[in-house]
Amino acid sequence: MRVWLASGSQRRSEMLKPLCQDLYCKGLDSVDETSNAENVSEQVMEICRKKAGSVGKNVNFDLVVVSDTMLQDPDLDSKAIGKPKDAIDAASMLHRLSGRRHRVWTATGILFQNEWKFYLNQSIVEFEDLSDEVLVDLVLNNSWVGKAGGYDLAGEMGRYAKLVDGDESTVLGIAEDAMVIMQGLFG
């Protein structure tokens, strides 16, 4: 089965490689990743659907996967935390999340047999109190680049954060329910 992961995310690629032999990974060109939805779950789903719309239906793959991940601000349920723009933004995000729990939302769309199906899951992650030294290290090692909330749970941040509820795949960028579906298709 030929699969297109329409994402430049290394983590998403690493999750799908063990499942499918013929995986093509290439992100989409300039998709509008803004949303006017009121809550984070609706925002992440809207952006995921925009990515699916950018792909269309007539592709030369048996299966196409699009996904979007956002964090819900621990103080404002309607505010999303996306990817940091630069190191200062990353430091600010990590500082805001330090010593706290937050919700991670991932929406994933799967195009199979010319039909899009969408999945939305959430997980809860808790950060330890991050010392200034740890914050500096996390920012300087660039582990934040391209990561929602400025961290990678399967990377360096895994030493300072833990999954409290939900599934790790949701935090890493593919909705848990979508992973279950794909495991069934490839298994």
Side-chain angles (χ1 to χ4, degrees):
M1 185 179 296
R2 293 193 62 227
V3 178
W4 174 20
L5 171 61
S7 170
S9 166
Q10 179 182 345
R11 283 289 172 233
R12 289 182 183 126
S13 172
E14 289 172 359
M15 286 190 286
L16 292 183
K17 278 182 185 174
L19 297 177
C20 53
Q21 303 296 326
D22 193 1
L23 181 66
Y24 173 71
C25 302
K26 183 178 185 308
L28 298 167
D29 296 329
S30 65
V31 173
D32 176 17
E33 293 194 27
T34 60
S35 171
N36 294 321
E38 288 195 25
N39 62 51
V40 178
S41 63
E42 292 170 351
Q43 292 172 34
V44 75
M45 183 59 86
E46 180 182 339
I47 292 167
C48 184
R49 287 182 183 278
K50 285 181 182 181
K51 290 178 179 181
S54 179
V55 168
K57 285 188 177 181
N58 298 318
V59 294
N60 292 323
F61 292 90
D62 301 306
L63 189 135
V64 179
V65 180
V66 296
S67 207
D68 196 66
T69 302
M70 289 183 177
L71 277 64
Q72 186 171 315
D73 188 290
D75 294 324
L76 300 167
D77 287 347
S78 63
K79 183 177 179 187
I81 299 175
K83 298 174 192 168
K85 297 180 289 279
D86 54 32
I88 293 169
D89 198 24
S92 174
M93 287 179 184
L94 293 172
H95 180 70
R96 181 171 189 76
L97 298 170
S98 178
R100 305 178 78 187
R101 287 184 179 187
H102 61 276
R103 198 171 305 273
V104 179
W105 292 92
T106 295
T108 300
I110 299 174
L111 176 65
F112 183 64
Q113 297 178 338
N114 289 323
E115 184 179 344
W116 280 103
K117 293 204 180 197
F118 294 91
Y119 305 88
L120 176 68
N121 291 106
Q122 63 172 321
S123 293
I124 297 175
V125 175
E126 182 175 73
F127 277 20
E128 293 178 9
D129 282 317
L130 302 174
S131 68
D132 290 342
E133 294 80 19
V134 167
L135 278 169
V136 168
D137 286 344
L138 289 169
V139 172
L140 291 179
N141 73 17
N142 288 330
S143 62
W144 56 270
V145 175
K147 306 289 189 294
Y151 74 91
D152 179 4
L153 188 65
E156 191 71 23
M157 182 53 81
R159 296 179 14 208
Y160 310 103
K162 67 180 179 182
L163 185 65
V164 175
D165 186 44
D167 191 78
E168 185 177 51
S169 69
T170 298
V171 179
L172 298 180
I174 297 178
E176 175 186 8
D177 292 344
M179 282 298 291
V180 169
I181 294 297
M182 288 187 284
Q183 288 165 345
L185 287 172
F186 302 130

